[in-house]
């Protein structure tokens, strides 16, 4: 069934689509391109530095990112694979457009390499040791059905408990 681009919305926890493992994109079609471009718009509107397809209700292996928020830094990652994670992990505060109001330090490898396909169907590889590395790992987690609440320390889960309860309540009332 074709995707209704104008009906895409950012879904919030605990929508079950956020827990589904995304499927690979078999071909970069015009529809995939349209979805990716709309996701970039939605990411900027939010505003955020990354957005994964499951967050707009699509179980597709695709995410968009822009750690600097400069227009020329928009990037689309199709069927991404993460490799060569640094052994050293570092904490940094993370939030998520699907978990409004939830924040916690998350430990992740300091640097990482990503291999993916772009909107022209071409493979590319990038390596980062800064915010991009963190965004890629956060968005890649979404494709695996993993959320920051799965990675945060117990004490932070307790600190965010009220917000999570409110989100669960809001979802039930939809
Ligand atoms: Zn997120």
């Amino acid at each position: 069934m074709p995707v209704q681009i104008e009906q895409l919305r950012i879904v919030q926890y605990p929508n079950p689509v956020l827990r589904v493992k995304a499927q690979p994109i078999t071909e970069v079609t015009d529809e995939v391109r349209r979805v990716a471009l709309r996701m970039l718009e939605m990411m900027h509107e939010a505003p955020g530095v990354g957005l994964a397809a499951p967050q707009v209700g699509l179980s597709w292996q695709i995410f968009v990112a822009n750690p600097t928020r400069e227009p020329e830094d928009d990037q689309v990652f199709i069927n991404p694979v993460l490799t060569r994670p640094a052994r050293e992990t570092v904490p940094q505060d993370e939030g998520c457009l699907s978990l409004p109001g939830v924040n916690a330090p998350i430990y992740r490898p300091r640097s990482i390499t990503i291999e993916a396909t772009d909107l022209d169907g071409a493979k590319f590889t990038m390596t980062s040791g800064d915010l991009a590395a963190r965004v890629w790992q956060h968005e890649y987690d979404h494709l695996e059905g993993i959320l920051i609440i799965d990675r945060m320390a117990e004490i932070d889960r307790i600190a965010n408990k009220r917000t999570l309860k409110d989100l669960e309540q809001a979802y039930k009332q939809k």
Side-chain angles (χ1 to χ4, degrees), residues 50 55 95-99 138-139 142 147-148:
Q55 293 183 278
C96 179
L97 295 176
S98 295
L99 285 155
H138 176 117
E139 301 309 328
H142 277 298
L147 299 172
I148 52 172

Side-chain angles (χ1 to χ4, degrees), residues 57-108:
L58 298 171
S59 293
W60 295 4
Q61 283 182 18
I62 174 165
F63 70 74
V64 298
N66 186 331
T68 67
R69 295 194 187 156
E70 299 295 333
E72 68 270 19
D73 290 333
D74 279 353
Q75 192 96 40
V76 177
F77 300 84
I78 297 168
N79 302 334
V81 178
L82 296 174
T83 61
R84 298 173 47 219
R87 206 165 298 155
E88 184 196 0
T89 61
V90 285
Q92 195 174 321
D93 258 334
E94 288 186 28
C96 179
L97 295 176
S98 295
L99 285 155
V102 175
N103 280 86
I106 308 291
Y107 278 85
R108 298 193 190 270

